[in-house]
Structures are given as C-alpha cells and as structure tokens.
Amino acid sequence: TLTVTSANHWMTAWLGLELNMISILPVIAKQKHPRSTEAATKYFLTQATASALMLFASTINAWQTGSWNIMQLNNKPSCILMIAALAMKMGAAPTHFWLPEVMQGTTLATALLITTWQKIAPITLLYMISNHTEPTITLSIGLLSILVGGWGGFNQTQLRKMMAYSSIAHLGWTMTVISIVPNIALTNIIIYMIMSAPFFMLLMTTASKTLQTMTMTWTHTPTTTIILMLLLLSMAGLPPLTGFTPKLLILDNLVAHKLTLTATTMALLSLLSLTFYLRTTYLLTSTAPPTTTQSTTTWRLKPHQNQVTALLTPIALFNITILPALLT
C-alpha cells in the first residue's frame, strides 16, 4: 500500500497493487474451510482482472502521450479504463459483486482489513488522477453504488455482508465527489474507515456474526451495545454524529456546482441504507431477547482488546465540531 501511495510511475503503482493483493490472499484463506478458499479465489480473480485493465490503460496512455507519470493521464480512453479498473479494485458498483462474497467467506478481522486498509491504494490513485476524470462517469458510478449499497443490504441477516453493502454505499458517496472536490471525497472515505474499524472490533469482541447473535449482546455487555448503536447511526449519517459531516459537505458542494438533482437523488437513495441501519439498531437495543442470566451483567472483555476501539470510537462519534476547522 505504501509503495502505491508514494508512487509516481504507473508501473510502480501496479507493482505495489500486485504485492498488496498477493500478500492478503493467505490472510483471506487462513481458515481451513472451503468458503475461505472460495473467497480468496474470487478476490484473486477480480483483483487480477482489475490490475490487468489498469496496466492496459496506463500502457495506452504512455503510448499516446509518452508519459508514465500518474498525474499525466491525459488520454481519455485510458482515463475511463483506469476509473473502471480502480472501481473494480475498490468494489464500487457495477463491479461490486465480489465484495459481499469475499467478506462473507473470511473472519471479521480480515473483513475489516478488506473494507478499510485495502481501499487506501486505489483511492489514492483515484485522488491523483481526479483532475482528468470525467465527472459524468464518476457521478454515474457513485449513484449506482449508493443504490446497490442500500438495496443489497436490505434483506441481509449476515453482518459481514451487510457491512460490505454499507462499504459500497459509502464508496458511492466518495465517487460522486472525487472529480469535483477530491479533498472532501478523501475526508469521506477516511471518516468511513474510522467508523467501521471500531464497529468491526466490537463485533469481534462480542463474536457477533449475524443479527440474531447481535441481539444477545445486551445481556452480556450493555455498554458495547450502546456504542454499537451509536456507530450504526453514525454510519447512517444522522446528525450530530460524525457520519453526517462528510455527507453534508458532499451535498453542499454538489449543489454549489449546480448538481442539485444529483444531490437530491443521493439523499433519497441514502434512505435505503438508513432503513437497514435503523433495523439493526432496533434489533440491537429495542428488543430484549429471552435471557437465563441471573447474575448482574459484567464487562466480559479482555482489557488489551479495547485500546484501539476506545481510541477510535470517540472520533467516530463526536468530531463534528472540529471537522469544519480542519477543512478550512
């Protein structure tokens, strides 16, 4: 990932992405189970296809312009191919099909890695070529991703698949604004990573993988349940939580660039995502499962597991007051 983020030459970026992909394959296939092997195979095939497409686009650009520099992607067909390749690498619609399947076949820790760290390299490249991107294409990919992310998460009972669709929807918000105000797109994806990291970590500590097991957390760890609820509402983009800030900034900039219809469509499509976030929140906090526990509830987590979660949770929930100052 660091090779890609510090690259200037397309070949170096491609090499970094290949190393990144080869390195995470054993991590995905770590469990001795056919499902994780299938997930690793699906990940490999999609990433290899995207890498080949990326190499093809950069070669055409070098052939036409004589430059391998990432910032000088001046050839229009190359730029379109490159956006398609990077969208496939990230898991944005319409090339999103691999992401829910791969996440469902891995552990929660690996799913966290795929939704956060693995997005850094392609997002960086997209940020670097944002001056040359065609706004129509990025807006189309963005709107489609928000629609697919909301619609796909509707009937999910598996939390990993639900989070995969949530990731697709958040990528949609990033894609819509990447060619208009790239800095805000970057802010959006960073905030998403900060929100999803503690969410996954708390799921790991409570060993929750489905909505059914998630309903049992209240009897064991009420504090965790409240934090999970707030993180879900933050991801849904409800004020005054952190997740609302990037959405407000994105909609504001779209309206400022006379894209009011697009902004309205995005706001309405995000209601789809809000539905499944609220449903999960309701199951988590408002339904009391039958419990046989007679003792008082205890905090049954190992202390060392909570340090990163404790650090990220306040940022994921309450940084709305400082963010405008950071952006200006």
Side-chain angles (χ1 to χ4, degrees):
T1 302
L2 294 175
T3 307
V4 179
T5 51
S6 57
N8 254 336
H9 195 285
W10 276 117
M11 289 299 279
T12 320
W14 175 78
L15 188 71
L17 284 166
E18 288 297 294
L19 287 168
N20 184 323
M21 186 246 299
I22 291 162
S23 307
I24 201 170
L25 287 176
V27 179
I28 296 172
K30 186 176 67 171
Q31 293 170 291
K32 304 290 185 286
H33 194 275
R35 182 164 281 221
S36 56
T37 313
E38 183 191 335
T41 311
K42 282 177 178 172
Y43 187 83
F44 170 73
L45 289 171
T46 46
Q47 297 296 314
T49 309
S51 290
L53 196 59
M54 182 184 152
L55 196 59
F56 178 54
S58 55
T59 310
I60 289 175
N61 185 63
W63 184 33
Q64 293 291 328
T65 63
S67 169
W68 281 96
N69 194 315
I70 293 177
M71 308 291 271
Q72 293 175 8
L73 195 70
N74 298 323
N75 190 20
K76 196 163 265 190
S78 311
C79 195
I80 294 165
L81 280 171
M82 189 61 73
I83 293 167
L86 292 173
M88 190 187 278
K89 278 223 166 273
M90 290 185 294
T95 49
H96 65 280
F97 297 101
W98 62 273
L99 186 62
E101 299 298 321
V102 169
M103 280 180 68
Q104 186 55 31
T106 60
T107 59
L108 282 164
T110 315
L112 168 63
L113 205 62
I114 292 168
T115 47
T116 54
W117 186 261
Q118 292 301 98
K119 300 265 191 286
I120 295 171
I123 281 282
T124 308
L125 289 174
L126 203 59
Y127 180 78
M128 288 166 84
I129 64 165
S130 58
N131 285 342
H132 303 289
T133 52
E134 194 68 46
T136 322
I137 295 167
T138 52
L139 282 169
S140 307
I141 291 173
L143 283 168
L144 192 60
S145 296
I146 297 168
L147 175 65
V148 166
W151 213 270
F154 241 63
N155 289 327
Q156 295 303 335
T157 53
Q158 296 288 337
L159 288 171
R160 281 166 295 181
K161 272 195 176 180
M162 196 182 86
M163 287 308 291
Y165 283 109
S166 161
S167 171
I168 293 164
H170 278 91
L171 272 176
W173 284 85
T174 304
M175 287 297 284
T176 43
V177 84
I178 193 90
S179 56
I180 301 164
V181 194
N183 289 349
I184 287 175
L186 214 56
T187 308
N188 181 54
I189 203 74
I190 289 165
I191 286 177
Y192 168 68
M193 288 173 188
I194 290 170
M195 287 188 298
S196 61
F199 185 78
F200 271 107
M201 285 170 183
L202 288 171
L203 291 185
M204 278 184 262
T205 49
T206 54
S208 303
K209 289 180 183 174
T210 61
L211 288 177
Q212 191 178 1
T213 52
M214 207 179 181
T215 55
M216 302 302 287
T217 54
W218 183 259
T219 51
H220 295 297
T221 52
T223 319
T224 306
T225 314
I226 292 163
I227 295 169
L228 279 170
M229 177 199 77
L230 288 169
L231 286 169
L232 276 165
L233 294 176
S234 186
M235 277 189 272
L238 296 180
L241 304 169
T242 304
F244 172 68
T245 314
K247 284 186 168 62
L248 179 68
L249 291 168
I250 289 168
L251 292 175
D252 182 44
N253 276 282
L254 286 172
V255 172
H257 284 82
K258 307 233 176 347
L259 292 163
T260 315
L261 186 64
T262 313
T264 311
T265 313
M266 284 166 67
L268 289 170
L269 288 176
S270 68
L271 294 175
L272 291 168
S273 301
L274 180 65
T275 309
F276 69 78
Y277 286 126
L278 285 178
R279 185 192 60 182
T280 314
T281 309
Y282 173 74
L283 280 171
L284 194 63
T285 55
S286 303
T287 55
T291 174
T292 53
T293 314
Q294 297 300 316
S295 62
T296 54
T297 53
T298 52
W299 181 263
R300 300 173 191 173
L301 306 177
K302 295 183 186 72
H304 71 273
Q305 288 179 315
N306 302 327
Q307 290 164 2
V308 182
T309 316
L311 180 72
L312 288 173
T313 305
I315 307 168
L317 297 177
F318 306 116
N319 82 341
I320 189 165
T321 47
I322 59 162
L323 197 74
L326 291 175
L327 287 169
T328 52

